[in-house]
Amino acid sequence: MCLWKKKNKRRCTVAVSPAFLALLLVFAAADRQRLLVHILLAAAVHEAGHAAAVHLAGGEIALFRITLFGAEMRIRRSERLSYGREILSVLAGPGVNLLCALVLGRVAGALDWEAGYAASGIHAALALFNLLPVRPLDGGRIFYLLLCWRVEPVTAERAMGRIDRAFLCAALFGTALLQGM
């Protein structure tokens, strides 16, 4: 599955899938507006927010994997975080993107900087998309952790399955409505 793996001194495995690299090449070839750099920077800032929060919460990342569908971090099993700390760690990614969106929007407005508006919008879109309450997005993880905090993980897992299916149905219905317009 992994085209490239690296183990650093802290024993964090980094893996990049070939599908991600292929998608990156296709996007780079078709990127006439030069948005790829902004998108990659927004994604890097997002993941750095998660990593910094995990580190501050006392955890250590064992795996960082980049796939066709995004990035995934796994914390060492021996260093599991409490529900509250994990929720804060998950919120850190979208939080950093929203902060960047606000700062870039202000700077772009002050300097009449068109690329700054684009970067601000990309950060905001990434943050809001990741807060959708479906797995494997951050919002789905947060919702699952909140459920686990209140009920047994097995019950939370069943509830999340229903929520995922309901959201998918709503998204498909909304798409069908938009297609009919």
Side-chain angles (χ1 to χ4, degrees):
M1 159 110 185
C2 299
L3 177 67
W4 174 64
K5 282 188 175 185
K6 177 185 176 194
K7 290 192 178 205
N8 66 18
K9 294 175 185 172
R10 297 183 65 98
R11 297 177 322 236
C12 174
T13 301
V14 177
V16 180
S17 76
F20 169 77
L21 294 175
L23 179 66
L24 194 62
L25 288 173
V26 168
F27 194 84
D31 185 22
R32 302 242 187 269
Q33 295 178 330
R34 298 187 180 139
L35 296 176
L36 182 59
V37 171
H38 295 296
I39 292 168
L40 291 175
L41 284 173
V45 165
H46 180 94
E47 297 306 328
H50 287 307
V54 166
H55 178 73
L56 290 173
E60 188 176 326
I61 298 168
L63 170 70
F64 180 75
R65 179 173 36 209
I66 302 173
T67 69
L68 185 61
F69 301 107
E72 174 187 352
M73 286 185 197
R74 301 252 175 169
I75 299 171
R76 294 201 186 287
R77 292 227 182 260
S78 61
E79 299 176 357
R80 295 307 255 174
L81 303 177
S82 67
Y83 288 131
R85 286 181 180 200
E86 190 167 348
I87 289 169
L88 290 175
S89 296
V90 174
L91 278 171
V96 169
N97 282 127
L98 289 174
L99 181 63
C100 285
L102 290 171
V103 169
L104 285 167
R106 287 285 181 127
V107 171
L111 301 177
D112 196 28
W113 179 37
E114 189 174 329
Y117 286 122
S120 175
I122 288 168
H123 275 278
L126 180 62
L128 296 175
F129 177 76
N130 266 284
L131 288 173
L132 291 174
V134 292
R135 293 177 294 182
L137 300 176
D138 294 338
R141 182 72 184 160
I142 292 165
F143 204 71
Y144 171 75
L145 291 167
L146 288 171
L147 286 172
C148 284
W149 214 347
R150 303 293 296 167
V151 298
E152 293 293 319
V154 172
T155 306
E157 187 66 37
R158 274 190 244 134
M160 282 307 299
R162 290 183 186 118
I163 291 166
D164 288 345
R165 286 188 295 278
F167 193 86
L168 177 62
C169 288
L172 289 172
F173 182 72
T175 302
L177 283 176
L178 289 173
Q179 290 294 321
M181 293 182 161

